[in-house]
Amino acid sequence: MATETAPPETDDEPSSGEQSSVEDSYVEPNIDVEALKGLLDGPYAGMRDLVRGNLARHSSILEEAETMTRDAFRERVKDLTLELAATGQTGMGFPESYGGGGDIGASIAAFETLAFGDLSVLVKVGVQFGLFGGAILQLGTKAHHDAYIAKVVTGELLGCFAMTETGHGSNVQALGTVATYDAAAQEFVITTTREDAWKDYIGNAAAHAELAVVFAQLVVGEDDHGVHAFVVPIRQGGRACAGVSIEDDGPKMGLNGVDNGRLHFEAVRVPRTSLLNRFADVAEDGTYSSDIDNANKRFFTMLGTLVQGRVCVGGAGINAAKVAQTIAIRYGNVRRQFEATSDTEEELLLDYGQHQRRLLPLLAHTYALHFAQEIVAGQCHDVFSGVESDELVRRQLESRAAGTKALATWHATRTIQECREACGGAGYLSVNRFAALKADTDVFTTFEGDNTVLLQLVAKGLLTDYSSDFADLDQLGMVRFVAGLAVETVLEKTNAHKLFERVRDLLPGGDQWDQEAGLLDSNYQLAMLRFREEHMLGGVARRLKRGIDNGMNPGAVFSEVQDHVIASARAHVERLVLEAFVDKVAELPDGDNKVVLSLLCDLHALSTIEADRAWFMEHGRLTTARSKSISREINSLCRKVRPLARDYVDAFGIPEEMLRAPELIGPAS
Amino acid sequence: MATETAPPETDDEPSSGEQSSVEDSYVEPNIDVEALKGLLDGPYAGMRDLVRGNLARHSSILEEAETMTRDAFRERVKDLTLELAATGQTGMGFPESYGGGGDIGASIAAFETLAFGDLSVLVKVGVQFGLFGGAILQLGTKAHHDAYIAKVVTGELLGCFAMTETGHGSNVQALGTVATYDAAAQEFVITTTREDAWKDYIGNAAAHAELAVVFAQLVVGEDDHGVHAFVVPIRQGGRACAGVSIEDDGPKMGLNGVDNGRLHFEAVRVPRTSLLNRFADVAEDGTYSSDIDNANKRFFTMLGTLVQGRVCVGGAGINAAKVAQTIAIRYGNVRRQFEATSDTEEELLLDYGQHQRRLLPLLAHTYALHFAQEIVAGQCHDVFSGVESDELVRRQLESRAAGTKALATWHATRTIQECREACGGAGYLSVNRFAALKADTDVFTTFEGDNTVLLQLVAKGLLTDYSSDFADLDQLGMVRFVAGLAVETVLEKTNAHKLFERVRDLLPGGDQWDQEAGLLDSNYQLAMLRFREEHMLGGVARRLKRGIDNGMNPGAVFSEVQDHVIASARAHVERLVLEAFVDKVAELPDGDNKVVLSLLCDLHALSTIEADRAWFMEHGRLTTARSKSISREINSLCRKVRPLARDYVDAFGIPEEMLRAPELIGPAS
């Protein structure tokens, strides 16, 4: 090799045969699996166990998803949804006065746990009780509640949530369905005005829903008041109501137990009281009234009440990833291939460094996301139970739910794919679960908000400090607003800088904190992610400002800065996720379980930094030598996590029946 | 922002409003789509068009894959396979004397093009004509050819390739099926010796194959001669032959038109002449003979003749990715969402910077892989047509085919996923193709060799210089061999260093070549990838040596160094891919099509470097400022490629019928 290109040997220290002093003193901890499961289950352990029991009892659904025709399976999923409703697990989010459980947190926990099983059932439950029932609960008033909620909770009344149209999924303010008020008849006339304004991809619409919550532009006389929600009967006795056309969306990649369909309205008349009127109303004479003057803000307030759906999908993605990881790690723990350390026995897959590298950091991310999700679910409970009524907190919840959903569902897609590949050809057989996991979760990155659009929402919140004055800004309004501020002003409003300063002061080295702190010091890890977030946000603000100052069209500026916008939102959410994990570890009493969680937390933190190490080097916060040290430390952590891997996944508490994969996973613990 | 953490403004130059001098002089070229299609189609344009026509004629298969029962669809796929055989497209790889086309290159081109359509058909064709027919052709001798090939070519005789077992997919030398020679009867007795030695995942086995090429340990008397292939009847008149048990593998994630199954043999007797005896034979008296003394080497020589399968799967992955990209780019070119640069019209998705970033570098990679694949296919043609008989070339082909297959199929998985997400909820509907593309291609990363194992094979070839003396080394033998050499000796044997030196001398700046050369200078781009390959290989050699010198178990050394081994193999293949693209551009006559290909080549090269920019920084070959420049240049290239995007995908020449996706793709050109 040419000497001029060879780095100093010490700069390229190989890992083989190397033992750090930390490793020398390391004693392998024992995991108390039950205690760890309890920690993961959190305050709703009982509810989660109820759902686990229900899943195991109805585990035949996993096979039925493969063997039944699409029509028969849809009926089966509907029937099972009703059976689950009878156990109480699906109605936890509704008031007790209507037969619900009156506990939002329990409702989210139940939904998340359902993701261990067939995901058509999960989504059917989500559509009926979350989207449809939730919209009536959140957007309607007492008359609507009295009329519908009790029957929604039992499943006697099935409904759908008709927001998305063929032409508009992300930009729902531009919907083409119109509800025109006819004061003479005291009715709204619902009309699909364009070919691309069919309600589309609507779950429960193709076969089962009798009622739809329809989002439409409310027009009274000359005035368009923007998008509002209406209760519209669409099907009676199995047939479409007059003026309503229903089409089936046809076969989908997955979730074929859910009857997604299209709806078209031709002058469908509904009573004036069909308007879900919590945030706005139309009087008999057509007078429009709302406590929220700004139409944009009113719309986003309405949408904000539906945040539970995003919280639930994020949690479901994390739990679906757990199923994949449990199978892949148990397989890697029993499957042997090629002789390596022994001449007489082939090596266990999980003893290969590469296999550890592909599976174990993802396991650590799942734990991290689990604890981050726990916080989001807790905040969601507080906000929707009235424990917390501050508007700022509500907007922060919306942002956090959006960001966590995005990262959690991308994590699910990536993890399930990696786990399938790690199980080789066996992973391709449907009996081994990955087929359904992949196909069913695929759309999680899209529904309840496209992940890219959600991250833009997160960035907007950060850049405008969640201020209610700017809640009504669209993307371009945000560009103009941020461009009008000094960069320092933008950053002062975010708390990334304050948090960074706080933790940096705890580290040795002063301005050299990034070189002198220990890699396994969680304050160092936090400082890195906080620094990155602050720096990226500043970069976005500076770029927006410069683009506008240079006279560019705000849309063009946004397009060019969009990758930075999204990167900064991701950096923000990754910081929140790490904080959640670090805090969880910190609050544990000393003992082996604290040690084992701490290992995973370090693995999560360092592999998050490693994944973006180029950025840290580019921005002067990571020397090349230290970057390499991080990679070596990750390998070392993988070797420590490896013997504990089975316990880590056992703590997820996935019922054995839900794993199927009889040939892959070895015996139950 | 705290001043001590803010980088200098010039170090963080934003892209908005910035115009490089190159951009000022840039004139948008016009793509001659037909000429570009001709360039992509290469020497087998006629064959590709024949297949395109066949695909379009039978395009109903795409819908039948969704609507038929599994059993009915299997029959449909078999029937279509026979219809295709009648057109000559599937038999191109067989000698004309048996009714084939006698043109390996045409055979590969035909197979690749078939990947525009239903992939069960593709795999059924691959199993029958590639794996089964290919094994008889390559491992058998004239008697076998006379007995079978003509009937294989027409499809009158259907067969399967029974190598993989439940317990062994990657380490096929450890198969548990045994063929014991009974000299008295002059028969081999085929037996499944263990529960995990069922032949498994065998395409064509569950329903259609009459004959199997069975790989089994050949035992004569006391001697085990290792794995050999035998022709074994498994089914007659639709029923399993005596002693043969057949099970169905059941539903799979995709490819459900292919009847994968398991085979078990209980003392199944076949004549002595059933041994496919090109490389070894057993005489009547049981005397074993082979021109290749070493059992390992003999086995790898046999396997090597089957390399066409890997070449074909790599090409199929690339073409499946083209289908996804054509749909996603045409959708991005007509779909609008959110107002951005205009107040009256929503923005086209493909005009968003983020959307360009997610789709266009992948498009560039597809072009690059296409040209790299063209080289592999050409070498395959030469080697198997006798144009090239050098053993070293043959081994290099095996390595290159393995590496290209790995990168191409991972690229397909990633690209199809990204394209699905870029089409939102619509991408989830089966009619829009992604469902089948995702499900069917998923196993490409596993079959015909697990990608990770294949990259290890590539690394082994590099580290042992493809020397025939070491062709028989297993992984641990490789470790010991490399550890026994000086690092310099290892590197001298590879040609990465020579190639690096050659191109470096063309660059300005001497040792500072990496800082002074232009980013768009293809010699700079090549130098970067060649430097990385050489450096990584040196690192692997050094690590292996140190581990062994430190007295570690070779298997443990390998496990710890495995990620470096795989990274170096990937670096090698990425270098080959870039060379293929650069060479292709260089040989084009001046003109707009050269300009447009050059744009994509730069985008491919720079995004390949960007993806590993952390490594380049860690190894002193990329300053942080230059790293940021590369990211900006990629954004700039994306903006140039964007208006041409539709033409780039039109040049793939995918029949309109194969795209389906009626609501997504806009009008045909």
Side-chain angles (χ1 to χ4, degrees), chain A residues 15 349-365 414 418 422 603 606-611 613 627-639 642, chain B residues 559-564 566:
Chain A
S15 59
L349 295 190
L350 212 46
D351 285 330
Y352 285 104
Q354 175 77 2
H355 213 74
Q356 295 167 12
R357 261 284 187 170
R358 77 195 294 190
L359 293 181
L360 301 182
L362 289 174
L363 178 67
H365 296 330
R414 179 180 164 209
E418 197 67 51
L603 181 54
L606 292 185
S607 44
T608 300
I609 293 169
E610 185 193 47
R613 68 196 198 280
S627 178
K628 292 179 189 176
S629 299
I630 287 177
S631 294
R632 283 197 300 278
E633 188 60 54
I634 291 170
N635 285 341
S636 166
L637 285 166
C638 282
R639 287 194 290 277
R642 187 265 170 268
Chain B
S559 174
E560 291 201 4
V561 178
Q562 196 181 14
D563 53 341
H564 296 275
I566 288 164

Side-chain angles (χ1 to χ4, degrees), chain A residues 204-220:
Chain A
N204 238 356
H208 296 137
E210 294 177 28
L211 215 58
V213 172
V214 175
F215 290 81
Q217 307 286 352
L218 168 59
V219 173
V220 185

